[in-house]
Amino acid sequence: MAQKQTAILVKEFNVEEPQAAIDICTDVPVKTPADGEVRVRLTCRPVDPADVLSLQGHYPPMCQELPTVPGIEGVGFVESVGSGAGKKFSKGARVVGTPFPLHLKNGGTWQQYINVKEDELFAVPQSVDDEQAAQFYINPMSVRGMLDTLDIPRGEWLLQSAAGSNLGRMMIQMAKIFGIRTIGVIRREEQKKELLEAGADEVLVASGESDGEDIAARVKEITKDQGAYGAIDAVAGVMTQRLLAAVRPKGTLLVYGLMSGLTFSGSILDVLIELKVITGFHIDKWKQSCGREKHQKLLKEVMDMFAEGKVTGVVGETFPLESVAEAVQATTKAGKKGKVLLKD
Ligand SMILES: NC(=O)c1ccc[n+]([C@@H]2O[C@H](COP(=O)([O-])OP(=O)(O)OC[C@H]3O[C@@H](n4cnc5c(N)ncnc54)[C@H](OP(=O)(O)O)[C@@H]3O)[C@@H](O)[C@H]2O)c1
């Protein structure tokens, strides 16, 4: 009898209640790996903000064809090897995707098994546990990609919004490795001490329209009138304008998230007179522009940082795969503590 698995299916998007977009199916057939593919038994995967966007139908790379299985990243072990595969990984090897959702026809990681070309997997060292490995790709590689894009010299300042996010904390850790100083913007005062202890050089409390600290004035003071060398923004809306005002002339701001909605604002004068640049960062586009050789080199560099414990993700609530609706709700809660994981 054909082997069956549990898989989370999205048949229809739901903007208001993303958790309602989910169907749990326990009798999805497990496919035989095609030529060059291995079958990975997934053991842990995160619920990323991009997954929530995909349940809402707001994230194009994930939602071209329905029904689909969501899940961009995760960790597992090679369970069986298809014909023509097995040169790089044999049965039992622990692997992550780089990332997984390129395989839309096989679905994402919110299922027990996934078939993947072995060339698109990356080995996980023993010292990296499942909870860290599950969140190895999207956030840390985006941090590495944004540092690569901004090319900030040692000693210069990076300004970031949502600095208390999982990605923001990884940015604090990785920037330190490269000798870059960080100014984080957060919306909750109680996170300030925690982020300073985690290595942020300066932390400002500000959110929304114009409340909290004057970001541009404080950054001017901190950087001795120079402005931040570059900035990254996951919040958008008016936050983009407030960060751009704090960037040096000709500096670049990368918008990489849409925590406050689908639009952002900015001053024309910052662009016209100060020649500041606002552009987007997306991990898939960056991966494409990188080329395979450089991407593989940076994957190794970042995995080494994980293996040495220099870069880590904060682990939040953990749910079994079947409790995915609760996991999605936990992910969208303000003030949550760390990355929500689905384990089995
Ligand atoms: N473009 C790319 O390629 C790419 C790649 C990876 C990640 N991302 C984006 O990076 C962001 C962070 O991801 P993550 O996994 O680190 O998320 P996360 O750990 O869930 O953190 C989300 C953070 O956003 C803050 N936040 C939420 N809504 C906000 C608002 N309206 N104003 C200000 N802050 C707000 C939260 O603050 P509280 O702690 O106060 O709740 C929290 O610190 C997400 O937007 C994600 O989509 C983009």
Side-chain angles (χ1 to χ4, degrees):
M1 210 173 65
Q3 195 182 346
K4 299 284 169 69
Q5 65 159 328
T6 299
I8 309 306
L9 287 184
V10 175
K11 292 182 180 156
E12 212 174 326
F13 304 123
N14 193 318
V15 176
E16 297 303 325
E17 291 180 49
Q19 70 279 4
I22 289 163
D23 249 356
I24 301 166
C25 301
T26 52
D27 58 353
V28 174
V30 174
K31 291 183 196 160
T32 306
D35 198 29
E37 285 183 344
V38 297
R39 180 156 74 211
V40 176
R41 171 66 170 94
L42 293 156
T43 48
C44 187
R45 61 297 262 167
V47 178
D48 285 316
D51 293 320
V52 177
L53 290 173
S54 78
L55 300 179
Q56 295 173 308
H58 285 160
Y59 203 57
M62 281 293 291
C63 54
Q64 282 143 5
E65 275 177 54
L66 293 181
T68 189
V69 178
I72 313 173
E73 58 181 342
V75 62
F77 58 88
V78 174
E79 198 251 0
S80 71
V81 175
S83 62
K87 295 183 191 82
K88 205 169 156 194
F89 296 107
S90 43
K91 237 173 128 173
R94 279 174 77 234
V95 289
V96 290
T98 64
F100 280 109
L102 297 175
H103 316 279
L104 278 179
K105 71 180 167 52
N106 289 332
T109 57
W110 292 10
Q111 55 188 334
Q112 292 178 300
Y113 296 92
I114 190 168
N115 293 341
V116 189
K117 290 256 183 255
E118 70 172 338
D119 249 9
E120 289 163 11
L121 293 170
F122 203 76
V124 181
Q126 231 178 3
S127 60
V128 181
D129 66 24
D130 270 10
E131 293 177 341
Q132 290 298 322
Q135 44 179 323
F136 162 73
Y137 188 78
I138 298 295
N139 282 346
M141 286 304 286
S142 294
V143 167
R144 187 64 191 89
M146 288 193 273
L147 287 173
D148 181 51
T149 307
L150 290 172
D151 198 18
I152 303 177
R154 291 184 83 81
E156 282 288 357
W157 293 91
L158 169 84
L159 174 65
Q160 62 165 336
S161 62
S165 70
N166 233 286
L167 184 149
R169 289 163 193 264
M170 289 181 185
M171 178 55 94
I172 291 168
Q173 296 170 332
M174 220 183 276
K176 253 212 159 40
I177 295 172
F178 291 107
I180 296 162
R181 295 186 282 181
T182 58
I183 306 170
V185 180
I186 51 170
R187 62 175 174 176
R188 290 181 296 116
E189 176 80 42
E190 62 267 30
Q191 266 187 340
K192 186 168 179 170
K193 187 166 171 275
E194 207 183 311
L195 288 191
L196 288 169
E197 282 169 4
D201 294 283
E202 299 281 348
V203 178
L204 312 178
V205 183
S207 73
E209 296 296 313
S210 58
D211 64 317
E213 294 182 71
D214 180 335
I215 299 174
R218 288 284 291 114
V219 170
K220 205 170 169 204
E221 205 174 276
I222 293 164
T223 61
K224 304 202 173 15
D225 287 341
Q226 297 301 303
Y229 191 91
I232 63 168
D233 180 23
V235 173
V238 178
M239 183 56 74
T240 309
Q241 181 169 349
R242 297 181 77 185
L243 296 187
L244 192 67
V247 169
R248 75 188 165 115
K250 296 191 181 167
T252 297
L253 183 156
L254 302 175
V255 180
Y256 72 98
L258 43 125
M259 285 296 181
S260 73
L262 287 162
T263 57
F264 64 74
S265 58
S267 155
I268 300 288
L269 294 182
D270 271 334
V271 177
L272 209 68
I273 307 298
E274 305 275 358
L275 302 180
K276 298 178 188 179
V277 177
I278 308 182
T279 184
F281 175 88
H282 191 277
I283 181 127
D284 288 343
K285 308 278 176 209
W286 171 73
K287 179 183 172 183
Q288 283 162 23
S289 70
C290 238
R292 185 172 169 84
E293 200 180 322
K294 178 172 172 184
H295 190 246
Q296 289 289 317
K297 179 175 158 269
L298 295 182
L299 278 169
K300 170 151 182 7
E301 182 188 292
V302 174
M303 188 58 97
D304 287 349
M305 292 176 189
F306 263 63
E308 290 161 19
K310 290 181 179 161
V311 173
T312 53
V314 183
V315 176
E317 285 185 86
T318 299
F319 296 87
L321 194 53
E322 292 78 5
S323 303
V324 59
E326 284 107 298
V328 170
Q329 279 179 301
T331 297
T332 53
K333 257 191 228 145
K336 70 170 181 299
K337 298 264 177 280
K339 187 62 76 187
V340 173
L341 298 172
L342 291 166
K343 277 176 106 169
D344 62 316

